[in-house]
Amino acid sequence: PDKETIKFCGGSDVNLIGDVKMADNGETKKFYKKFEKSRMLLKPCLNKMLVFNPAERISVDDAIAHEFFEDLHFEEDEPITSYVSAFDFDFEKYDLTIEQTKEEIYEEIMLYHSTKAQKRYLENRQKYPHGMLYLKYAQDKPNDAKEKIKEALKSE
């Protein structure tokens, strides 16, 4: 990476890689040697994918559309997904027991077999966009915490 990229990534020693020699076209000599017999389309694609600074790196969509992947690229068979909300990954915030994990898996399975479960899921997702498992698994549920604060203030 260049000095600006090291600064971007929070590196303090921008001369850390001073001994790495770059070829005129921006490839390190080791990289060039490793892929010198590769197809001509591979090196430019890899150069774009292996950019150290994520802000300058090729996007997944652009990488898939790159000429190197032309034989594999079939747009109709490449679904584009939408953003997954925090609600659906709420379970990652908690250190669940095996039994609790089983319960969450069961509830997930029910989404595929019960319209009642689907309706409840959609309602809860709208009501608690950042997740609702704190109601089940957090040490201090919101109401419990309020009660503890009230009790502490009374005793003073």
Side-chain angles (χ1 to χ4, degrees), residues 89-101:
F89 286 92
D90 192 27
F91 65 92
E92 292 183 340
K93 298 176 189 173
Y94 304 99
D95 188 20
L96 303 178
T97 66
I98 292 173
E99 288 305 313
Q100 290 169 331
T101 303

Side-chain angles (χ1 to χ4, degrees), residues 5-103:
T5 299
I6 293 172
K7 283 182 185 177
F8 172 83
C9 295
S12 57
D13 188 359
V14 293
N15 295 316
L16 182 68
I17 59 163
D19 63 337
V20 175
K21 304 294 182 217
M22 301 295 280
D24 288 340
N25 62 359
E27 296 175 308
T28 63
K29 289 182 180 180
K30 285 183 179 180
F31 181 84
Y32 182 74
K33 231 179 190 176
K34 180 92 172 162
F35 295 101
E36 67 185 344
K37 293 180 182 175
S38 301
R39 288 182 46 203
M40 293 304 295
L41 295 174
L42 174 62
K43 287 193 306 188
C45 183
L46 282 176
N47 276 338
K48 292 175 183 179
M49 292 168 69
L50 298 175
V51 170
F52 193 80
N53 186 339
E56 296 174 8
R57 195 175 302 141
I58 190 172
S59 71
V60 173
D61 292 334
D62 289 342
I64 290 171
H66 192 276
E67 194 177 357
F68 177 74
F69 294 108
E70 186 175 50
D71 293 342
L72 302 173
H73 183 56
F74 185 62
E75 200 166 324
E76 291 79 28
D77 195 30
E78 297 167 6
I80 304 294
T81 186
S82 59
Y83 172 77
V84 179
S85 74
F87 182 87
D88 294 316
F89 286 92
D90 192 27
F91 65 92
E92 292 183 340
K93 298 176 189 173
Y94 304 99
D95 188 20
L96 303 178
T97 66
I98 292 173
E99 288 305 313
Q100 290 169 331
T101 303
K102 286 179 181 179
E103 184 180 332

